Amino acid sequence: MIKLHGVSKQYHSSGGSFQAVQDVTLDIQKGEIHGIIGMSGAGKSTLLRIMNVLEKPDQGSVEVDGRELNRLRGRALREARRSIGMIFQHYNLVYNRTVSGNVAIPLELAKAARTERNERVLEVLKFVGLLDKADQYPARLSGGQKQRVAIARALASRPSVLLCDEPTSALDPQTTGEILEVLRHVNRSLGVTIVIVTHDMDVVNRICTRVSVMENGRLISTQPVEVKPNE
């Protein structure tokens, strides 16, 4: 589903150069929940953004669902990205738009018909348990509800891949558990391949099928996560 081969990314500034990702090769299988863990500055968030070419690698290839994204440009790249949803630590919601307005954004960008947009927005809000919040504004929501809106927005365009950058690090333990259950539901019900960047091994143990460990921009290991008996 996601194949990275020899990807590297270096940043340059007046203070010098920084190698964020160095020669990473990784194969993420269709339908899995894959964790990427490491200390702050390990390169895990940069690697995640390379997966949809929000960060273009300096070298190497990025293949998602059979398409080599780093070779695409313009409209072709935009269309390919529609199959890749993304959620962030701080939600990235538009606070002067309602919940339904936020969820509709990717559908508006794709120029979907109004009727289709409205139906899809209600469908995904129901899926994440926020149908009753459709007309509210994000400022009135809890952190967990805001993250559910972000998940609904990411699902609106029916992605096959969902990239999650520290999706629970701003949440309390109970809400973290609730969001992980939503993501598990997305994976099991819709067959969406999920990649989660986190610094929390408990998140990995609770939801991931495999985990990759990063250190100083390098991929140190990839291994299966032991499934707990009650899961």
Side-chain angles (χ1 to χ4, degrees):
M1 172 57 73
I2 303 174
K3 296 182 179 182
L4 306 179
H5 182 73
V7 296
S8 295
K9 181 66 179 180
Q10 188 176 64
Y11 296 105
H12 304 278
S13 69
S14 57
S17 299
F18 171 67
Q19 190 74 44
V21 172
Q22 188 166 352
D23 195 27
V24 169
T25 294
L26 177 62
D27 190 347
I28 296 173
Q29 300 166 10
K30 184 175 183 178
E32 76 169 310
I33 303 178
H34 194 103
I36 301 176
I37 195 166
M39 300 293 287
S40 178
K44 54 191 188 295
S45 290
T46 300
L47 188 69
L48 191 79
R49 291 168 65 87
I50 284 174
M51 290 180 188
N52 62 357
V53 203
L54 283 178
E55 294 286 355
K56 186 177 178 182
D58 299 325
Q59 63 185 49
S61 63
V62 180
E63 183 179 313
V64 178
D65 204 13
R67 291 173 292 188
E68 195 169 341
L69 298 192
N70 55 303
R71 292 184 177 273
L72 301 180
R73 298 290 184 274
R75 182 177 178 181
L77 179 57
R78 289 193 298 272
E79 290 180 352
R81 281 181 176 146
R82 286 176 191 159
S83 67
I84 307 172
M86 193 161 188
I87 63 174
F88 306 88
Q89 176 182 353
H90 296 297
Y91 326 124
N92 285 15
L93 301 179
V94 180
Y95 278 75
N96 64 354
R97 298 190 68 153
T98 62
V99 165
S100 59
N102 270 275
V103 176
I105 289 172
L107 301 173
E108 293 171 0
L109 293 174
K111 302 188 185 304
R114 181 181 295 273
T115 301
E116 178 187 348
R117 291 202 311 263
N118 293 342
E119 290 177 354
R120 182 59 180 166
V121 166
L122 296 179
E123 183 179 1
V124 291
L125 284 177
K126 182 178 180 181
F127 185 86
V128 301
L130 285 181
L131 190 56
D132 61 328
K133 306 294 184 184
D135 296 326
Q136 291 193 15
Y137 286 86
R140 299 188 60 187
L141 303 180
S142 68
Q145 289 170 335
K146 290 174 184 176
Q147 195 60 286
R148 285 173 186 257
V149 175
I151 294 171
R153 180 182 58 192
L155 294 176
S157 55
R158 294 181 171 85
S160 57
V161 173
L162 184 59
L163 306 179
C164 309
D165 193 1
E166 299 275 10
T168 61
S169 62
L171 305 175
D172 62 72
Q174 179 178 335
T175 308
T176 290
E178 294 170 359
I179 292 302
L180 293 180
E181 282 305 311
V182 172
L183 293 175
R184 195 194 311 273
H185 185 42
V186 168
N187 174 256
R188 292 178 175 175
S189 300
L190 306 178
V192 175
T193 302
I194 298 178
V195 184
I196 300 180
V197 159
T198 181
H199 63 272
D200 187 348
M201 196 63 198
D202 184 55
V203 169
V204 169
N205 288 331
R206 290 170 71 173
I207 194 174
C208 296
T209 48
R210 287 197 303 156
V211 59
S212 293
V213 180
M214 291 195 71
E215 184 178 307
N216 297 324
R218 292 184 176 274
L219 184 65
I220 302 302
S221 68
T222 296
Q223 55 196 14
V225 178
E226 183 178 352
V227 179
K228 297 179 179 60
N230 63 347
E231 296 182 354

